[in-house]
């Protein structure tokens, strides 16, 4: 028997929780069909996280993509189908690439990250497009391109160093009408690996406190720069990312296991630490950097 | 006599990691570059001022800053003053400098950074007295310890010890004539 997992019409970091809620009670070997036929829009976080659902299943999951031509075509241009076909059993129409029409909103198509060379390639790819978008369109300072690529590099390395599996990264820009009314650039990095708690537990000699759970693991990693490695220099990547995101008045959110931690800017009303979420393997990171507006 | 050596990190990257890469990103890349620099330092005449030049590096992330600068300087510091190498870091864009400062703080280290105009700056962690003494040395070019004491006052501070600390951390050079100066690139 196959259980149908319904993907909401608009898929972002918040609505994706409804997908995780549906998956949580199912055993890993339960056959599922991820049904995105009625989905009209997905953030890069939503698209990369959908791929990690396939990683989380012992029985190969099925996938049915959006019925709307425009949505399916956009997902195709964002690189979703190229990877979905490798990890899902595909149902229904799978759109094919048409020529080499560039997608201006997609700074980085969905790209797999498993090893250090992949991080090099991601950084090489993003640099040429990032300058034009970040400085000319989002009005960030000229050094933002370097800081942005440094940020992207560090969050991708999180997969290489901690996930113990392949993850995916995507970078897109769009107008964030819902909360901000401004353009944003969004980095999404998702994997279905071991997650922050298990990664930190693997540190030799680490003493776990009575309250040791996914939430505390996220607090340790994001707020206290704790790493599973004992070198004093470890844990700086995420600390650096946090500093830069704060500098840009951006938002950093990391979900892992049953918890989600967020660095929240003034324009957002999220909760800093959510616990007791539906369990889902790995780590899912989203960074949102808003267009800078002149202070009046 | 002080010897002068310059290491172009971008060239080391292309030679040791990949001809096609111009970005210093990821820990394995940083570790490979650092080992190549360490190998290049072995057997150099002493004392020497080694310039680590990042001018042609397109990108330096936090992990690479740690692997290259953090671990290199930390190892030198732990080597109890041998070899007598004074590092001068050059060619840093503002974001790279931020990354290196963060790294130095984690290791409780300080380093000398040269800006495009040739001015040398102190970055990283250093106590207030040592920092003030270092600035006197920079301002005057070369000084006797007594001149630092005369400039800064505070006889309760053991300035001789402070200068020894700066010297052992390779932030100043004690010349044969007893004067204290900054390590200079050629």
């Amino acid at each position: 028997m196959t259980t149908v997992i319904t993907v909401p019409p608009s898929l972002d970091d918040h609505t994706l929780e409804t997908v995780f809620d549906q998956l949580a009670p199912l055993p890993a070997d339960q056959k599922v069909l991820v049904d995105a036929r009625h989905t009209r829009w997905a953030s890069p976080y939503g698209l990369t996280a959908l791929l990690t659902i396939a990683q989380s299943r012992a029985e190969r999951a099925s996938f049915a993509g959006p019925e709307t031509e425009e949505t399916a075509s956009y997902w195709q241009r964002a690189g979703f189908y190229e990877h979905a076909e490798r990890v899902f059993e595909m149902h229904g129409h799978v759109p094919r690439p048409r020529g080499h029409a560039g997608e201006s909103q997609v700074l980085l198509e969905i790209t797999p990250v498993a090893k250090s060379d992949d991080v090099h390639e991601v950084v090489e790819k993003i640099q040429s497009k990032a300058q034009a978008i970040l400085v000319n369109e989002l009005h960030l300072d000229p050094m933002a391109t370097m800081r942005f690529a440094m940020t992207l590099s560090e969050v991708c390395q999180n997969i290489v160093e901690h996930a113990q599996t392949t993850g995916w990264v995507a970078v897109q820009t769009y107008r964030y009408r819902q909360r901000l009314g401004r353009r944003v650039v969004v980095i999404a990095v998702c994997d279905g690996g071991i997650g922050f708690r298990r990664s930190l537990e693997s540190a030799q000699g680490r003493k776990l406190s009575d309250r040791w759970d996914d939430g505390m693991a996220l607090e340790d990693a994001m707020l206290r720069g704790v790493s599973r490695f004992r070198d004093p220099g470890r844990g700086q990547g995420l600390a650096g990312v946090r500093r830069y995101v704060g500098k840009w008045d951006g938002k950093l959110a990391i979900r892992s296991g049953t918890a989600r931690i967020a660095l929240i800017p003034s324009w957002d009303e999220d909760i800093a630490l959510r616990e007791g979420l539906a369990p889902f393997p790995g780590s899912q990171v989203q960074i949102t950097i808003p267009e800078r507006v002149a202070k009046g | 006599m002080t010897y002068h050596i310059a290491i172009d990190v971008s060239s080391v990257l292309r030679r040791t990691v990949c001809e096609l890469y111009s970005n210093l990103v990821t820990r394995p890349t940083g570790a490979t570059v650092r080992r190549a620099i360490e190998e290049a330092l072995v057997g150099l005449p002493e004392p020497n001022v080694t310039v680590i030049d990042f001018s042609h590096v397109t990108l330096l992330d936090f992990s690479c800053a740690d692997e290259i600068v953090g671990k290199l300087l930390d190892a030198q510091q732990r080597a109890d003053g041998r070899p007598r190498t004074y590092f001068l870091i050059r060619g840093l864009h503002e974001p790279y400098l931020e990354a290196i400062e963060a790294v130095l703080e984690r290791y409780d280290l300080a380093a000398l950074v040269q800006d495009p105009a040739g001015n040398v700056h102190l970055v990283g962690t250093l106590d207030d007295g040592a920092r003030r003494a270092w600035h006197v040395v920079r301002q005057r070019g070369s000084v006797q310890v007594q001149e630092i004491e005369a400039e800064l006052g505070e006889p309760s501070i053991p300035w001789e010890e402070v200068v020894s600390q700066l010297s052992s951390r390779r932030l100043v050079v004690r010349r044969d004539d007893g004067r204290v100066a900054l390590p200079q690139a050629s």
Side-chain angles (χ1 to χ4, degrees), chain A residues 116-117 119-121 123-124 127 143 145-147 149-151 153-154 157 161 224-226 231-237 239-241 243-244 247, chain B residues 13 17 20-29 58-64 66-67 71 74 78 93-96 98-99 102-104 106-107:
Chain A
S116 291
D117 281 352
V119 181
H120 273 279
E121 284 179 22
V123 171
E124 297 275 345
Q127 278 170 322
M143 289 293 166
T145 311
M146 283 181 195
R147 293 189 180 107
M150 289 162 77
T151 299
S153 168
E154 295 297 344
Q157 282 180 73
E161 300 250 332
R224 293 183 272 279
V226 176
D231 296 357
R234 292 291 185 145
Q236 294 182 68
V241 168
R243 267 200 306 278
Y244 284 163
K247 195 181 179 90
Chain B
L13 169 70
V17 181
L20 301 173
Y21 293 158
S22 58
N23 296 310
L24 276 171
V25 295
T26 80
R27 286 196 174 270
T29 298
T58 315
L59 192 76
L60 173 73
D61 71 5
F62 291 94
S63 298
C64 254
D66 175 50
E67 287 291 337
K71 289 187 176 170
D74 188 49
R78 286 164 188 270
H93 292 288
E94 192 184 305
Y96 307 170
E98 290 163 0
V103 163
L104 294 172
R106 294 282 284 229
Y107 285 92

Side-chain angles (χ1 to χ4, degrees), chain A residues 91-109:
Chain A
H91 284 230
H93 173 63
V94 176
R96 297 292 161 205
R98 290 183 201 157
H100 295 283
E103 174 53 67
S104 62
Q105 289 190 307
V106 178
L107 265 74
L108 180 73
E109 291 173 1

